[in-house]
Amino acid sequence: MTQHLLMIEDDTRLAQMVSEYLAQSGFVVGHAGDGQTGLTDLQSDPPDLVILDLMLPDMDGLEVCRRIRSLPGALAQIPVLMLTAKGDPMDRIIGLEIGADDYLPKPFEPRELLARIRAVLRRHVEGAHPVQTQLRFGTLEIDRDARSVSVAGQLCDLTSYQFDLLVALAERAGRVLTRDQIMEAVRGRELDAFDRSIDVHMGRIRAAIELDAKDPKRILTVRGVGYVFARQQD
């Protein structure tokens, strides 16, 4: 699903550059050149996240953030990522204290902005929908807190990274994921699309959790795409 961002920034050139870059990753970015316009746009078409500059022509970003957090209902919960050219750490502290979810100083690398946006959105979703501590699929049990996996009561020998990969698949059961999507879910950043190390790890996970690794029933390969964790199991 396409996610909608609102950038409140008086530097039109920067806003255009950021919008074009984020569009390549599937985001739709709206732009407001001042705080009041941004607040109006936010209420008329609520975004999934606000990218908020600290220095604006009509009011500073701290005041805009305060007003967002005082809005009614779900509007007050919209994630805010603040941008600033200032080096004073007090600005960061105040911004976070009044409700900003993250803070990125200018100048910044577009890839870092993208990574921070994804991280904030991920935390926001997890906060709205508490993570299940245990996942069960037939005789397969995954315990997040203990970081353990068992099949029919027998513990499976997985590395920490393999455990995270299995959880990433299991919590998206029934959804076909590319190798990139799986590794991004684990590491929180994009990796080389041609990195095949994921296949080696999947083979080892299958050896640990499948009754027959050569005829898997839990982790299925979708040729030319990636993997899918089966919803219906033993």
Side-chain angles (χ1 to χ4, degrees):
M1 182 178 67
T2 300
Q3 290 179 298
H4 170 212
L5 311 180
L6 173 62
M7 188 169 190
I8 305 177
E9 164 66 64
D10 62 339
D11 186 335
T12 304
R13 184 177 178 182
L14 174 63
Q16 182 177 356
M17 179 197 74
V18 168
S19 298
E20 291 174 354
Y21 179 80
L22 294 178
Q24 297 173 18
S25 296
F27 292 99
V28 173
V29 185
H31 173 234
D34 59 73
Q36 187 55 59
T37 301
L39 288 167
T40 300
D41 291 350
L42 179 146
Q43 293 176 79
S44 62
D45 185 14
D48 295 294
L49 178 143
V50 174
I51 304 170
L52 176 61
D53 187 27
L54 185 60
M55 301 298 293
L56 295 168
D58 56 342
M59 67 182 85
D60 64 31
L62 297 176
E63 177 60 24
V64 175
C65 189
R66 287 191 191 95
R67 295 191 185 188
I68 292 174
R69 294 298 176 241
S70 67
L71 292 172
L75 293 175
Q77 305 303 317
I78 293 174
V80 175
L81 191 159
M82 295 195 72
L83 303 177
T84 182
K86 288 186 175 181
D88 187 351
M90 188 55 66
D91 289 330
R92 177 176 182 272
I93 294 170
I94 294 173
L96 295 174
E97 285 182 345
I98 64 174
D101 295 88
D102 202 354
Y103 189 100
L104 185 62
K106 295 178 181 179
F108 54 82
E109 288 292 332
R111 282 180 64 88
E112 181 177 3
L113 175 62
L114 175 60
R116 286 178 179 270
I117 288 171
R118 284 175 167 165
V120 170
L121 287 171
R122 187 163 54 247
R123 292 197 300 269
H124 183 68
V125 170
E126 290 172 352
H129 304 283
V131 174
Q132 291 178 272
T133 58
Q134 292 188 330
L135 299 172
R136 292 185 175 86
F137 300 87
T139 59
L140 173 67
E141 295 188 12
I142 303 171
D143 189 324
R144 291 174 182 270
D145 291 341
R147 291 185 65 80
S148 66
V149 179
S150 64
V151 175
Q154 297 296 314
L155 287 175
C156 301
D157 185 15
L158 294 176
T159 66
S160 178
Y161 182 54
Q162 288 161 9
F163 175 85
D164 290 339
L165 286 172
L166 177 58
V167 169
L169 278 169
E171 65 187 9
R172 297 165 178 81
R175 174 181 165 191
V176 178
L177 300 175
T178 66
R179 294 172 178 82
D180 286 359
Q181 288 172 326
I182 296 168
M183 297 178 81
E184 183 183 338
V186 173
R187 299 187 182 183
R189 60 185 176 87
E190 294 181 86
L191 298 172
D192 186 348
F194 299 102
D195 186 339
R196 295 289 171 168
S197 67
I198 188 74
D199 297 329
V200 175
H201 287 293
M202 287 301 169
R204 291 171 180 167
I205 294 171
R206 280 171 168 163
I209 70 170
E210 299 280 4
L211 295 177
D212 181 357
K214 294 182 180 179
D215 183 25
K217 304 298 183 184
R218 295 188 169 105
I219 298 177
L220 309 178
T221 299
V222 180
R223 191 177 299 277
V225 182
Y227 296 93
V228 59
F229 190 89
R231 287 182 181 276
Q232 299 297 325
Q233 301 182 12
D234 56 342

